[in-house]
Amino acid sequence: MQISQQLPNLSNQTLMELYPDSFPIDVRHYLANWIEEQRWEDFDTDSLEQEPQARRLLEQMVELLQEVAFHNPNVVEKVKLQHISRNMSTFQTQPLQLVRTVRDILRRERLLLRQAAMPPFTQMPTPINGTTLTSREVNTSDLDTLVLKVLDIQSCRQQIHQLQEELNWEKQEAEPMQGTAITKQTRIAQLEYKYQECAKKRVQLLQEAMCSLEQCQTRLIHRIKSWRWEQLRSTIGLAFDDNLLPLQTWCEQLLGVNGNLRQELMLVKRDHGSVEQFHLLEENLSHLLQLLIHSSLVVEKQPPQVIKTQSKFSSTVRYLLGEKVAPGKPVLLKAQIITETQARNLGQGVIPTENVGELINSTAILEHNTASKSTCATFRNMSIRKIKRADRKGSESVTEEKFALLFTTEIVITGCESPYCVQTISLPVVIIVHGSQENNAMATVIWDCAFSEPNRIPFVVPERVPWSQMSEALSSKFMSEVQTSRGLDRYNLHCLAQKIFDKLEISEDFNKMPVSWAQFNKEVLPGRTFTFWQWFEGVIDLTKKCLKAYWTEGLIFGFIGKQHLHVILQNKPNGTFLLRFSDSEIGGITIAYVDVCENGGRKIQNIQPFTKKDLDSAGLGDRIRDIKCIKYVYPDIHGACLTNSINTISCLFVLFQLVTKNKCVISASEPQAPHTQHRYCTLGRRVCSVTSVCCDSITE
């Protein structure tokens, strides 16, 4: 329907190119719905195995045309459609050619509609980290344009073939006349001129298509690299779209274009001879093909980035050109452990020969999943039996040493004679031998994932980063691990900066100050026995396991230094309190509150921190109810003073949503006694009319 509205705007030349004699516009018009319902793009037109399926489509098309002709009241149209249905039988010997023809028509139509809807000036995609990531729509447009260029080359070749046949015929007829027929000579000269012009156009189109292919493939490879980088960054909780199907489709279509161009180049060489110009084009095509095949192996599911020896782990490697792998011999992927130095040398073409670790269950078969259209090798039960470490310098720890898994295989692509050795590496991993090393190993991983640059040399990271960058990473990691929508606010981050820089100034701006790796997880905090990361990770673990709901609701202040604490509580009423993470203990939460001194003055008290072990034995709600002297939650939640009729303990219970031991459901039924205004919960307790939460005791 959409293309029909555009037909009046199209030139005759465009219509002739869009609907060739072998597939006239009448077929497209009368069988529109049926044509658009078929899955033409799913065909591999280079595979003879799909000929029976293509032949069935041809038979259905002929039957439908005959049926349309039979029911058409217009005699002229009836005869025309019957003639077209008989001509369609020319595809009987090459049914896949029908698939190519219809698929190319639909692609051209989509491109025409897109161009018609496109505004005069189209905004370019936003650059991310210096690399322009084209959207899916832009990718499709680029590919369609590239396919159309290939179709133009094929059309030009067919036109040259027809001109050559006409020339041969005219010259044969002109021979007996021995130059006496001026008309014949003129006709031959005209045909020769057209032939030369088409030949030039053919070569020009071939060169243009080569440039477009190179540009389109460069964008694809940039996008694959960006996908890998986004996968790395997701370790600290950043958003990541792991869907590889659009990239897979892009890879497959570029492979098809490359094959078509190689075929056209062979035919050009046949017609014009092997000249230097064609030799360079051939080399360029081979290079692009090799680059595409090598770039299409990706680690879809990464191994854990901290791996303990003698423990099981898994990983999945996906080949984006999996459907194009030549059938027959199974494709076996092999995994091995490599060092950071070996990973760096891979870029120089150096294949690792030294075995630095013993990896068991390190092979997997590349298998195709028809439902998901993915071709993957899944390593389900890998394990590192032992590891050989490099010589360490100075204070370098084993938990700072980065390795990777290298996946290699040999692949034969349909239509290519020689096999290709393909490889890819995992994200950096840290290998430990004891659980006590996990915290420090994770620090290495976090620093690498948060502060690495795209397209870096494996696995280079800066030694120092600005605090603004560090604070974003900490907040993102906290939200990701705790699985909360509430991140760290500016007060929390300022407190963390004070801690890592050992500066107590409340007003100081830390954003541009550099944070070193040593400050993050090598040097212990002043007066403590642990590093900044060890302390921060302990807070994450406690919040994730015991305090997630309270943190998400904003009931825990969390990160605040003692100096800041005194500033905000100094003018608050006695009994005002807040919940903060302990400075002195890893994974502890404490209650700070305003209390009365013996001399009548006021002071800030901090209760001994509660750890996960403490909160497992008695929940935070019970801990709060045990403290009789706290009344107001900072900043201005007057929980205990809502009314004298509500018990102080019950009010705190409400404020913190700490229905821990006696979880209940509020009844929606009418009150049992018509003259009362109370509701009852499923435990039979009366529901407070102020808070709508059931209480152990309520004073009328």
Side-chain angles (χ1 to χ4, degrees):
M1 181 183 66
Q2 294 175 33
I3 200 69
S4 296
Q5 295 170 356
Q6 295 295 325
L7 289 179
N9 303 324
L10 302 179
S11 66
N12 290 335
Q13 180 65 26
T14 302
L15 287 173
M16 290 172 62
E17 292 175 355
L18 186 58
Y19 305 107
D21 293 338
S22 59
F23 198 91
I25 192 173
D26 308 74
V27 182
R28 179 71 180 94
H29 171 71
Y30 285 107
L31 304 186
N33 291 338
W34 180 84
I35 288 172
E36 291 169 25
E37 288 170 358
Q38 310 311 309
R39 302 176 65 89
W40 307 100
E41 293 289 348
D42 289 352
F43 275 87
D44 180 358
T45 54
D46 295 325
S47 173
L48 296 178
E49 295 178 357
Q50 295 194 331
E51 272 197 354
Q53 186 180 349
R55 189 169 283 109
R56 284 193 294 272
L57 282 177
L58 172 62
E59 292 169 355
Q60 290 178 34
M61 186 177 289
V62 172
E63 288 177 6
L64 287 171
L65 276 174
Q66 291 173 347
E67 186 177 346
V68 170
F70 180 77
H71 291 98
N72 198 312
N74 188 310
V75 177
V76 175
E77 285 293 311
K78 182 192 293 284
V79 172
K80 185 178 181 181
L81 287 171
Q82 289 173 343
H83 178 70
I84 290 172
S85 66
R86 286 193 296 271
N87 287 346
M88 295 292 288
S89 61
T90 56
F91 287 112
Q92 192 67 35
T93 55
Q94 290 183 312
L96 287 174
Q97 182 58 38
L98 171 70
V99 174
R100 294 189 195 97
T101 301
V102 179
R103 185 183 62 192
D104 293 342
I105 289 172
L106 294 176
R107 284 178 177 176
R108 285 175 179 268
E109 288 180 351
R110 281 195 296 270
L111 182 61
L112 287 169
L113 291 174
R114 190 177 295 114
Q115 290 173 342
M118 192 176 295
F121 299 99
T122 304
Q123 184 177 357
M124 292 301 292
T126 304
I128 299 179
N129 298 305
T131 303
T132 300
L133 303 183
T134 51
S135 65
R136 177 64 187 142
E137 289 76 16
V138 174
N139 295 339
T140 304
S141 177
D142 288 348
L143 282 168
D144 285 347
T145 303
L146 184 56
V147 168
L148 288 179
K149 287 184 177 180
V150 176
L151 291 174
D152 288 340
I153 295 170
Q154 293 171 341
S155 175
C156 194
R157 167 173 48 83
Q158 292 167 358
Q159 189 177 356
I160 287 173
H161 182 71
Q162 292 172 358
L163 287 170
Q164 185 64 63
E165 287 182 339
E166 287 186 53
L167 263 174
N168 293 341
W169 176 257
E170 294 292 344
K171 287 179 178 179
Q172 179 180 316
E173 286 195 329
E175 280 182 6
M177 303 178 185
Q178 296 181 352
T180 56
I182 302 299
T183 306
K184 278 288 180 187
Q185 295 301 323
T186 303
R187 173 64 176 160
I188 290 173
Q190 289 174 343
L191 288 174
E192 287 179 339
Y193 177 78
K194 286 184 179 180
Y195 181 90
Q196 294 297 330
E197 288 298 308
C198 280
K200 290 178 183 178
K201 182 182 177 183
R202 181 186 185 186
V203 174
Q204 181 182 350
L205 287 172
L206 190 59
Q207 291 172 329
E208 290 175 359
M210 283 286 300
C211 291
S212 296
L213 174 62
E214 189 170 0
Q215 292 170 2
C216 197
Q217 184 166 307
T218 299
R219 285 193 288 272
L220 166 66
I221 293 173
H222 281 165
R223 188 64 192 96
I224 292 175
K225 289 179 179 178
S226 297
W227 185 93
R228 288 173 175 149
W229 188 70
E230 290 163 12
Q231 185 187 49
L232 171 71
R233 299 275 287 167
S234 68
T235 304
I236 58 169
L238 297 183
F240 169 55
D241 181 6
D242 63 353
N243 181 19
L244 280 167
L245 195 55
L247 291 178
Q248 177 176 310
T249 302
W250 197 353
C251 285
E252 291 170 346
Q253 290 180 327
L254 286 183
L255 181 67
V257 168
N258 192 297
N260 288 334
L261 288 179
R262 279 184 288 131
Q263 185 179 42
E264 292 302 319
L265 188 56
M266 289 172 59
L267 294 172
V268 169
K269 288 171 64 179
R270 181 198 65 182
D271 295 341
H272 299 280
S274 181
V275 297
E276 181 66 19
Q277 181 185 20
F278 301 145
H279 180 66
L280 291 174
L281 289 175
E282 194 171 38
E283 283 186 346
N284 197 11
L285 267 178
S286 297
H287 172 70
L288 289 174
L289 176 64
Q290 184 176 2
L291 192 58
L292 178 63
I293 291 172
H294 285 167
S295 302
S296 299
L297 190 67
V298 295
V299 183
E300 183 173 34
K301 179 191 172 187
Q302 292 286 341
Q305 285 193 265
V306 176
I307 302 175
K308 184 175 175 292
T309 56
Q310 312 296 333
S311 61
K312 290 182 182 179
F313 64 93
S314 63
S315 182
T316 301
V317 180
R318 179 165 173 172
Y319 194 52
L320 301 180
L321 291 173
E323 291 190 348
K324 307 300 180 182
V325 174
K329 184 180 177 182
V331 178
L332 184 70
L333 261 78
K334 182 179 179 181
Q336 70 180 96
I337 308 167
I338 60 173
T339 65
E340 184 172 343
T341 302
Q342 289 174 325
R344 198 166 298 162
N345 290 336
L346 285 174
Q348 309 300 322
V350 180
I351 305 298
T353 54
E354 182 185 4
N355 193 356
V356 298
E358 187 177 344
L359 186 65
I360 65 173
N361 298 324
S362 58
T363 58
I365 300 293
L366 200 63
E367 298 176 304
H368 184 69
N369 185 316
T370 307
S372 64
K373 296 185 178 180
S374 62
T375 304
C376 299
T378 302
F379 298 81
R380 292 182 175 82
N381 296 296
M382 283 193 289
S383 178
I384 298 174
R385 183 170 292 170
K386 60 183 180 180
I387 190 71
K388 178 183 177 183
R389 299 191 181 275
D391 295 332
R392 291 184 294 281
K393 299 177 182 179
S395 61
E396 197 174 52
S397 165
V398 294
T399 57
E400 296 177 64
E401 187 177 3
K402 288 180 276 192
F403 296 86
L405 295 187
L406 172 66
F407 300 94
T408 57
T409 188
E410 195 174 78
I411 287 177
V412 178
I413 298 295
T414 302
C416 302
E417 298 178 0
S418 304
Y420 292 86
C421 183
V422 184
Q423 62 187 25
T424 189
I425 63 172
S426 71
L427 299 181
V429 301
V430 179
I431 300 172
I432 61 175
V433 296
H434 195 274
S436 62
Q437 298 172 313
E438 185 171 0
N439 186 287
N440 290 329
M442 184 52 68
T444 301
V445 168
I446 296 300
W447 188 275
D448 185 274
C449 296
F451 309 125
S452 60
E453 296 292 334
N455 304 317
R456 62 170 172 171
I457 299 171
F459 298 108
V460 174
V461 283
E463 186 63 26
R464 296 175 181 273
V465 296
W467 169 252
S468 58
Q469 196 175 346
M470 167 67 79
S471 61
E472 289 176 6
L474 292 176
S475 183
S476 179
K477 182 62 178 176
F478 186 93
M479 293 173 66
S480 173
E481 284 295 313
V482 177
Q483 291 294 295
T484 178
S485 57
R486 180 191 169 204
L488 307 183
D489 61 26
R490 61 190 182 94
Y491 299 108
N492 297 152
L493 294 172
H494 192 84
C495 170
L496 294 176
Q498 288 177 308
K499 181 176 289 292
I500 203 168
F501 292 119
D502 190 26
K503 292 180 179 290
L504 301 180
E505 292 81 356
I506 295 176
S507 60
E508 185 160 356
D509 183 9
F510 296 104
N511 277 334
K512 295 182 180 179
M513 290 184 62
V515 184
S516 68
W517 161 250
Q519 288 172 303
F520 182 67
N521 195 52
K522 281 188 79 70
E523 300 167 352
V524 297
L525 294 171
R528 309 298 180 200
T529 59
F530 44 80
T531 66
F532 174 86
W533 166 254
Q534 290 167 346
W535 172 80
F536 185 76
E537 198 276 336
V539 171
I540 290 177
D541 189 62
L542 176 72
T543 309
K544 176 171 61 176
K545 293 177 179 176
C546 303
L547 308 171
K548 175 182 175 181
Y550 314 136
W551 172 266
T552 302
E553 292 298 322
L555 303 173
I556 296 174
F557 198 103
F559 303 97
I560 181 172
K562 288 185 178 180
Q563 186 179 2
H564 189 197
L565 182 67
H566 280 75
V567 170
I568 67 173
L569 291 182
Q570 62 182 351
N571 295 322
K572 294 296 178 181
N574 293 341
T576 302
F577 73 98
L578 57 76
L579 292 166
R580 57 181 289 267
F581 296 121
S582 170
D583 286 317
S584 59
E585 187 158 356
I586 293 179
I589 189 167
T590 182
I591 300 173
Y593 66 95
V594 181
D595 198 11
V596 182
C597 298
E598 294 179 358
N599 60 6
R602 302 165 72 252
K603 62 181 178 180
I604 308 298
Q605 297 276 38
N606 283 275
I607 294 173
Q608 183 174 341
F610 305 121
T611 62
K612 178 181 179 297
K613 183 178 179 181
D614 298 324
L615 297 178
D616 283 343
S617 61
L620 188 57
D622 293 325
R623 300 285 180 182
I624 291 173
R625 289 195 291 180
D626 290 341
I627 306 169
K628 307 299 182 182
C629 58
I630 57 177
K631 300 177 182 180
Y632 313 102
V633 183
Y634 178 84
D636 53 3
I637 304 175
H638 305 293
C641 299
L642 286 174
T643 172
N644 289 333
S645 65
I646 300 180
N647 179 283
T648 300
I649 297 175
S650 301
C651 179
L652 292 173
F653 192 84
V654 170
L655 291 172
F656 282 89
Q657 301 182 356
L658 304 176
V659 188
T660 53
K661 286 191 174 181
N662 299 316
K663 293 181 180 177
C664 62
V665 179
I666 303 302
S667 170
S669 60
E670 292 296 322
Q672 294 180 4
H675 61 279
T676 67
Q677 296 299 315
H678 298 302
R679 291 186 298 157
Y680 292 81
C681 73
T682 53
L683 297 178
R685 296 197 182 100
R686 189 179 297 172
V687 175
C688 173
S689 60
V690 177
T691 63
S692 298
V693 174
C694 62
C695 304
D696 289 329
S697 62
I698 296 181
T699 303
E700 295 293 346

